[in-house]
Amino acid sequence: MKIIDGKSVSAAVKEETKQEVKELKSKGISVGLAVILVGEDPASKIYVANKKKACEDLGIISEEYLLPETATTKELLELIDVLNNEKSINGILCQLPLPNNIDEKTVINAISPEKDVDAFHPSNVGRIMIGDYDFVPCTPAGIMEMLKYYNIEISGKTCVVIGRSNIVGKPMSMLLLHQNGTVTTCHSRTKDLAEVTKKADILVSAVGKANFVKADMVKDGAVVIDVGMNRENGKLCGDVCFEEVSEKASYITPVPGGVGPMTIAMLMKNTLTASKKQNNIK
């Protein structure tokens, strides 16, 4: 069994991005990311701080916009409109979840698809569907990068994704399909879940339940990717019961240190891609 080390893979992605950012700078082209945070959610604040630090490390200009919990949808849309038209900003990220008084769907739709580095805008989602895309949501993109880094073959493999969210489950299934995997998407209504997951050569769990995937749900020699970020007894843990599943898997991602570090690395890469596209650089 090999552990898929997200820290190593994300370091490689960041290093490559850093070099490209440097090259663009030498041509007088900057790379800029605007991050919008509404309210005081502690987890969101940590994410935003981590994104800011990653930008600094890679030479990406980072602008932070902090709005109070009481901000309205209208105020947020006005800010997005300004950023959509700001040439020095290549990527716009609105940290989710938003407070209940803000219409999340309207906000996502307002971000210019060319600057939508989270790839949540319907037009970017549609492009992922047809396989002609510039951006992919950061978590699924990071998982694909990890599989590539470890030379894990997807073509012809039976792939099972547990979870059907717009952020992870659905785009993950599409990306595996584009690489010629045979994909089953499972969810809370799937009958005999273990019977389905046991057939998987590549199993991705994005269900958000601590230690949900047990050894009897996993095929011998499977590649197991754990997207879960759960807390149990104050400790961070994944969807996968790591101790028992690691004895059956050929490759497995740990939590923490697996998929997590990849998400910010891919956000940086998406922001670089946005700058290149906007400046007509191949």
Side-chain angles (χ1 to χ4, degrees), residues 162 203-215 217-218 224-230 237-246 249 251-255:
I162 314 174
L203 177 63
V204 180
S205 181
V207 74
K209 289 182 181 173
N211 300 315
F212 177 78
V213 176
K214 305 280 195 285
M217 295 169 72
V218 179
V224 180
I225 307 289
D226 189 350
V227 185
M229 291 284 271
N230 314 298
C237 66
D239 288 350
V240 177
C241 216
F242 186 84
E243 295 305 318
E244 54 180 78
V245 172
S246 59
Y251 289 88
I252 189 167
T253 61
V255 176

Side-chain angles (χ1 to χ4, degrees), residues 36 65 67 71-86 92 102 106-107 110-111:
I36 304 167
Y65 295 86
L67 299 182
T72 61
T73 303
K74 184 172 177 282
E75 285 168 326
L76 187 47
L77 294 177
E78 282 167 2
L79 170 59
I80 289 168
D81 188 48
V82 169
L83 296 173
N84 278 340
N85 292 299
E86 178 53 64
I92 303 169
I102 289 179
T106 304
V107 169
I111 295 171

Side-chain angles (χ1 to χ4, degrees), residues 93-225:
L93 182 146
C94 190
Q95 186 65 47
L96 304 179
L98 288 165
N100 293 335
N101 57 311
I102 289 179
D103 184 350
E104 200 166 280
K105 193 173 163 186
T106 304
V107 169
I108 288 169
N109 290 357
I111 295 171
S112 161
E114 287 77 34
K115 295 190 177 189
D116 168 38
V117 286
D118 259 337
F120 294 163
H121 190 285
S123 87
N124 285 328
V125 173
R127 292 186 67 181
I128 292 163
M129 191 77 188
I130 59 172
D132 171 26
Y133 48 83
D134 297 316
F135 309 121
V136 178
C138 300
T139 301
I143 292 167
M144 296 305 282
E145 200 69 41
M146 288 166 129
L147 294 173
K148 186 173 143 194
Y149 187 89
Y150 281 87
N151 294 314
I152 293 166
E153 183 65 51
I154 299 167
S155 185
K157 295 291 171 68
T158 299
C159 306
V160 174
V161 178
I162 314 174
R164 54 175 164 179
S165 73
N166 292 336
I167 294 172
V168 182
K170 287 178 192 167
M172 189 72 243
S173 293
M174 288 314 301
L175 294 182
L176 291 166
L177 194 58
H178 291 320
Q179 294 294 322
N180 303 315
T182 300
V183 186
T184 303
T185 308
C186 298
H187 43 79
S188 56
R189 303 285 173 89
T190 301
K191 291 203 168 86
D192 300 327
L193 180 65
E195 287 306 308
V196 183
T197 58
K198 266 196 290 207
K199 296 187 175 92
D201 301 311
I202 298 171
L203 177 63
V204 180
S205 181
V207 74
K209 289 182 181 173
N211 300 315
F212 177 78
V213 176
K214 305 280 195 285
D216 62 3
M217 295 169 72
V218 179
K219 177 182 179 176
D220 279 324
V223 174
V224 180
I225 307 289

